[in-house]
Amino acid sequence: MTPANPLPKLTLVLGGARSGKSRHAEALVEAQAAPWVYVATAQAFDTEMEARIAEHRARRPEGWITRDAPLELPEAVIAGPAGAPILVDCLTLWVTNLILAQRDVAAAGEALLAACRAVPGPVVLVSNEVGLGIVPDNALARRFRDEAGRLHQRLASEADSVLFMVAGLPMRVK
Amino acid sequence: MTPANPLPKLTLVLGGARSGKSRHAEALVEAQAAPWVYVATAQAFDTEMEARIAEHRARRPEGWITRDAPLELPEAVIAGPAGAPILVDCLTLWVTNLILAQRDVAAAGEALLAACRAVPGPVVLVSNEVGLGIVPDNALARRFRDEAGRLHQRLASEADSVLFMVAGLPMRVK
Amino acid sequence: MTPANPLPKLTLVLGGARSGKSRHAEALVEAQAAPWVYVATAQAFDTEMEARIAEHRARRPEGWITRDAPLELPEAVIAGPAGAPILVDCLTLWVTNLILAQRDVAAAGEALLAACRAVPGPVVLVSNEVGLGIVPDNALARRFRDEAGRLHQRLASEADSVLFMVAGLPMRVK
């Protein structure tokens, strides 16, 4: 059965904290035929993060195949099942993990794009927009902000659809 | 007399600091027939805040009925006069006050929505978007950001009109 | 030769860090006939800033006349050549420099607007949106945020075109 609103090949959902990014992205994927693949980049370092992960997980209905990929995201994207819609949540945590592991973020971004192109189904990437506040005091936060911003630009240039979430509502950027 | 641009029942005006939210919301309300009700949530804790409050107050013309409601916002919304357009400025300070008073923000948000539905006139809610910078260092700021974001999503889902202000100009989100 | 997409008299390009503001603004100007005037407000206080300036400079092709104006921006805008498209990058650094030099930011903004009106060619102003995060801890950062926000509103009210950049893509605000 063809879904009412087929997803384009690559969708990028950007937005601030608690802007409804994950919920909107999940709704986009769940409008397609199951099964759906959920690739989680979060690593629980503390109880606050554990609670956030648990809250996200509890919200998702049956039909989701969940896969953890704090670092090896391209591999998780191509792991199948073939043709299943894929949701990656979220790229900002992935960038954090890459920086902490001293990986090349730009090269990893290209590998992610190649993986998105290699799979037959649609991919939805969720990421936090973090560059709209005052310049952070510490150099690591500035580096993270720069790497995330550059990755967003690169992915947005290749994406078929780019959404900017405000208060749970999508604004179409592309 | 029917105003040229009647306001919908519920309008949410979001934006960053100094994005022209208050000014735009005031203009929306002042385009309706007076009297207008101004519900202020600000509590002046220091001279910087006092100066901001005085600046906002000095800008407003005759015709405004001003009411302070740092915590009891739903009560202030339904206090009349019946049918008068109501401006609430701003929700972010209300959320701060609620957290400091150890109130349940989600329950308060539902009470606010009920009050907005109960009054016969239009309501314009102003709030700061605070989730688009780097993750804050301290847990209280993160909690505030989460509570504000969740409240925005809930109100936006019920609002007839949602605006995102950039440099004094409204972008229509809904 | 008339360019395919003539620029309006005054364009304001806003966006977060690494949102592709400079690149987009450069593309707008480079679509006009050369020579183009690049007015840089950056002052390199440290090696991180030096690296950013060098990266921006290396990206720009032949045809640009570069001028440094950490403070005397209006003078740099009217310095000619007459009719050449002008790119100012960026206003947020200019505001920082003005505050540190204890100049009146509002008066400087009016002088900038007058200079933009006085030149015969189009002007593109680039600036960082910094007001969408948590309220900064320190008073100087809050003052900077307020001054920048007020300047953006003033310029946007006079601009023919206002763009908000998200992940390298322009959203039209005006």
Side-chain angles (χ1 to χ4, degrees):
Chain A
M1 200 185 72
T2 308
N5 292 300
L7 276 172
K9 190 68 187 74
L10 185 59
T11 301
L12 179 60
V13 181
L14 293 169
R18 296 288 171 190
S19 66
K21 300 177 304 293
S22 298
R23 199 178 292 259
H24 188 74
E26 286 163 27
L28 289 177
V29 170
E30 290 169 5
Q32 316 303 309
W36 316 298
V37 176
Y38 188 100
V39 183
T41 59
Q43 281 181 300
F45 289 115
D46 55 32
T47 53
E48 188 181 326
M49 184 69 96
E50 268 172 25
R52 277 182 191 251
I53 293 174
E55 186 193 322
H56 275 229
R57 199 175 281 256
R59 200 170 62 210
R60 293 195 296 272
E62 297 290 312
W64 284 96
I65 300 165
T66 299
R67 195 167 290 153
D68 290 317
L71 284 170
E72 313 304 339
L73 183 52
E75 291 76 358
V77 165
I78 60 170
I86 299 164
L87 172 55
V88 175
D89 194 356
C90 67
L91 297 181
T92 21
L93 286 172
W94 185 50
V95 169
T96 303
N97 297 339
L98 289 170
I99 290 175
L100 294 178
Q102 304 192 328
R103 304 274 188 97
D104 181 326
V105 177
E110 295 306 316
L112 172 59
L113 268 176
C116 293
R117 285 188 205 109
V119 293
V123 180
V124 179
L125 305 172
V126 173
S127 200
N128 274 62
E129 178 55 63
V130 294
L132 287 156
I134 285 286
V135 178
D137 281 336
N138 77 78
L140 185 62
R142 287 198 299 276
R143 180 168 163 222
F144 162 69
R145 196 174 70 145
D146 286 354
E147 297 276 19
R150 272 191 286 251
L151 180 66
H152 293 166
Q153 287 188 51
R154 178 71 184 108
L155 296 172
S157 73
E158 299 284 324
D160 305 289
S161 170
V162 178
L163 304 175
F164 180 65
M165 301 296 300
V166 173
L169 303 168
M171 297 182 84
R172 183 162 296 278
V173 185
K174 180 182 183 178
Chain B
M1 200 186 72
T2 308
N5 292 301
L7 276 172
K9 190 69 187 73
L10 186 59
T11 301
L12 179 61
V13 181
L14 293 169
R18 297 287 170 189
S19 65
K21 301 178 304 293
S22 298
R23 200 178 292 259
H24 187 75
E26 287 163 27
L28 290 176
V29 170
E30 290 169 4
Q32 317 302 308
W36 317 296
V37 176
Y38 188 100
V39 183
T41 60
Q43 282 181 300
F45 289 115
D46 55 32
T47 53
E48 188 180 327
M49 185 68 98
E50 267 172 25
R52 275 180 192 251
I53 293 175
E55 185 193 322
H56 274 229
R57 199 176 282 255
R59 197 170 64 210
R60 293 195 296 273
E62 297 290 312
W64 283 98
I65 300 166
T66 299
R67 195 167 288 152
D68 290 317
L71 283 170
E72 313 305 337
L73 183 52
E75 291 77 357
V77 165
I78 59 170
I86 298 164
L87 172 55
V88 176
D89 193 355
C90 68
L91 297 180
T92 21
L93 286 172
W94 185 50
V95 169
T96 303
N97 297 339
L98 289 171
I99 291 175
L100 293 178
Q102 304 192 327
R103 303 273 189 97
D104 181 326
V105 178
E110 294 306 317
L112 172 59
L113 268 176
C116 293
R117 284 187 205 112
V119 293
V123 180
V124 179
L125 305 172
V126 173
S127 200
N128 274 61
E129 179 54 63
V130 295
L132 286 156
I134 284 286
V135 178
D137 281 335
N138 76 79
L140 184 61
R142 286 197 300 275
R143 182 171 161 219
F144 162 70
R145 197 174 70 145
D146 286 354
E147 297 276 18
R150 271 191 287 250
L151 180 66
H152 293 167
Q153 286 189 50
R154 178 72 183 107
L155 296 172
S157 73
E158 299 283 325
D160 305 290
S161 170
V162 179
L163 304 175
F164 180 65
M165 301 297 300
V166 173
L169 303 168
M171 297 183 83
R172 181 161 298 279
V173 185
K174 180 182 182 178
Chain C
M1 201 187 71
T2 308
N5 291 300
L7 275 172
K9 190 69 187 73
L10 186 60
T11 300
L12 179 61
V13 181
L14 293 169
R18 296 288 170 189
S19 65
K21 301 178 304 294
S22 299
R23 198 178 292 259
H24 188 74
E26 287 164 25
L28 290 177
V29 170
E30 290 169 5
Q32 316 303 307
W36 317 296
V37 176
Y38 188 100
V39 183
T41 61
Q43 282 181 300
F45 290 116
D46 56 32
T47 53
E48 189 180 326
M49 184 68 95
E50 268 172 25
R52 275 180 192 251
I53 293 174
E55 185 192 323
H56 275 229
R57 201 176 280 255
R59 198 170 63 210
R60 292 195 297 273
E62 296 291 312
W64 284 97
I65 300 165
T66 299
R67 194 168 289 153
D68 290 317
L71 284 170
E72 314 304 338
L73 183 52
E75 291 77 357
V77 165
I78 59 170
I86 298 164
L87 171 56
V88 176
D89 193 356
C90 69
L91 296 181
T92 22
L93 286 172
W94 185 50
V95 169
T96 304
N97 296 339
L98 289 170
I99 290 175
L100 294 178
Q102 304 193 328
R103 303 273 189 98
D104 182 326
V105 178
E110 295 306 317
L112 172 60
L113 269 176
C116 293
R117 285 187 204 109
V119 293
V123 180
V124 179
L125 305 171
V126 172
S127 200
N128 273 62
E129 178 54 63
V130 294
L132 286 156
I134 285 286
V135 178
D137 281 335
N138 76 78
L140 184 62
R142 286 198 300 276
R143 184 172 159 218
F144 162 69
R145 195 174 70 146
D146 286 354
E147 297 276 17
R150 271 192 286 251
L151 179 66
H152 293 167
Q153 286 188 50
R154 178 73 184 104
L155 296 173
S157 72
E158 299 284 325
D160 305 290
S161 170
V162 178
L163 304 176
F164 180 65
M165 301 297 299
V166 173
L169 303 168
M171 298 182 82
R172 182 161 297 278
V173 185
K174 180 182 183 179

